[in-house]
Amino acid sequence: METKVQTQIDSIEGDVAVAFLNLSDPTDTLFINQNEEFHAASTMKVPVMIELFKQQASGKINLNDSILLVNEFKSIVDGSPYRMDIADDSDDVIYDKIDTKVAINDLMYSMITVSSNLATNVLIELVDAKKVTATMRDLGADKIEVLRGVEDIKAYELGLSNSTTAKDLLVIMESIATNKAGTETDCKAMVDILKDQQFNDMIPAKLPKAVEVAHKTGSITGVHHDAGIVYLPDGRSYVVVLLSKNLKDFDKGTEQLADISKTIYDYLMEQNR
């Protein structure tokens, strides 16, 4: 499997990292470029979700409460205001709700399933990016940095971006799958939200319909990621993380990454024969 995956990576015009952990046999792993740093893109929304559940568990917030949906945020560089543009967001429905109260739960669901940037920024202001990163450290993800919300152009131009590694996203997804990211009830709720993911062109793309995938994608120019927990019909499960940057051909690269996901799935299927 490792040889085949490496060959597939070599055929991709761009930089790729892969991390795999068989949850049914934790000695069964694959790591390629697992410590290389990547722009986190929207994969950082999973740590924000974990922090939301953590703060509810500690009594700081109630996910059933509603908060005012605003569209003005402060740059981490100088505090200057910036707004989200509906044209750059994957969720246009939420923009009709600006200046009304929306349930935190609903914002969190939109943040994960349709990758709403507006919802993300409201939630990051609520929980505090520094606390999100600190919680990831507690889980054992020692390199991921959640610095800011989305579309903070001033920060982006100074190189102040959210970053991650394949290994850290594997640790984070494993912590949800094994109920280390919160209570068993909270982790199940997180898995259910991740299973409703609407962007399915990488990890699940070439897998049979009976296979369930709880996952989060992320993309910006030349970057396409997917990190998830794969649930096989026979009860086994595994975590897989596919990260890419400097993709020459985004669509072709995405399909090639989906092929890597299929290779890992096929390997697990072979094991059970």
Side-chain angles (χ1 to χ4, degrees):
M1 191 253 292
E2 182 169 2
T3 305
K4 185 168 182 187
V5 169
Q6 187 63 62
T7 302
Q8 288 174 303
I9 289 172
D10 292 343
S11 74
I12 297 173
E13 288 189 274
D15 303 309
V16 172
V18 174
F20 157 78
L21 168 68
N22 183 348
L23 291 165
S24 310
D25 174 12
T27 62
D28 188 11
T29 60
L30 174 65
F31 292 107
I32 298 171
N33 303 326
Q34 72 272 20
N35 294 315
E36 185 167 342
E37 197 173 283
F38 288 75
H39 190 300
S42 290
T43 61
M44 64 84 179
K45 295 170 183 176
V46 176
V48 176
M49 174 175 68
I50 292 171
E51 184 62 24
L52 282 159
F53 277 100
K54 180 184 175 182
Q55 291 195 17
Q56 174 173 260
S58 69
K60 267 191 178 166
I61 60 173
N62 184 332
L63 296 178
N64 294 313
D65 284 348
S66 293
I67 55 174
L68 187 66
L69 183 65
V70 297
N71 187 12
E72 186 170 297
F73 308 98
K74 291 185 171 73
S75 171
I76 62 168
V77 175
D78 56 8
S80 59
Y82 69 98
R83 296 168 65 83
M84 308 306 295
D85 185 343
I86 190 170
D88 297 327
D89 206 334
S90 54
D91 175 19
D92 51 5
V93 177
I94 197 171
Y95 284 78
D96 292 337
K97 298 175 182 171
I98 289 169
D99 295 328
T100 69
K101 286 200 158 187
V102 182
I104 298 170
N105 253 326
D106 292 343
L107 290 172
M108 178 171 66
Y109 186 81
S110 295
M111 172 179 73
I112 298 296
T113 60
V114 292
S115 212
S116 172
N117 289 337
L118 179 56
T120 301
N121 280 20
V122 170
L123 294 172
I124 284 178
E125 290 213 336
L126 178 69
V127 297
D128 182 357
K130 287 189 178 70
K131 288 180 179 167
V132 176
T133 300
T135 295
M136 295 308 102
R137 294 290 179 272
D138 292 343
L139 291 175
D142 52 15
K143 286 191 174 172
I144 192 167
E145 292 282 354
V146 181
L147 297 175
R148 59 170 175 84
V150 189
E151 303 292 341
D152 184 346
I153 302 303
K154 282 188 177 177
Y156 178 77
E157 287 171 350
L158 289 176
L160 299 171
S161 292
N162 303 315
S163 61
T164 190
T165 64
K167 187 177 180 202
D168 275 10
L169 282 172
L170 181 123
V171 166
I172 290 162
M173 286 299 186
E174 181 196 6
S175 73
I176 295 173
T178 57
N179 304 321
K180 292 181 202 145
T183 65
E184 186 173 344
T185 303
D186 287 352
C187 287
K188 184 185 182 303
M190 290 185 229
V191 167
D192 288 342
I193 294 168
L194 290 161
K195 280 182 179 177
D196 280 350
Q197 176 58 244
Q198 297 302 297
F199 300 105
N200 293 304
D201 54 358
M202 199 180 297
I203 291 174
K206 301 192 177 188
L207 306 188
K209 289 276 185 283
V211 176
E212 287 191 293
V213 185
H215 67 120
K216 182 73 195 81
T217 57
S219 66
I220 55 173
T221 306
V223 167
H224 204 179
H225 307 323
D226 203 355
I229 310 156
V230 180
Y231 295 91
L232 302 176
D234 63 15
R236 291 179 299 155
S237 58
Y238 62 92
V239 177
V240 61
V241 179
L242 305 169
L243 304 186
S244 65
K245 60 185 176 184
N246 304 316
L247 287 176
K248 286 262 175 63
D249 184 329
F250 186 90
D251 292 340
K252 185 183 178 188
T254 299
E255 183 163 353
Q256 290 170 301
L257 289 157
D259 288 334
I260 293 173
S261 170
K262 179 69 162 58
T263 296
I264 292 169
Y265 166 81
D266 289 343
Y267 160 75
L268 267 292
M269 288 296 97
E270 282 294 319
Q271 274 191 344
N272 230 27
R273 285 200 178 136

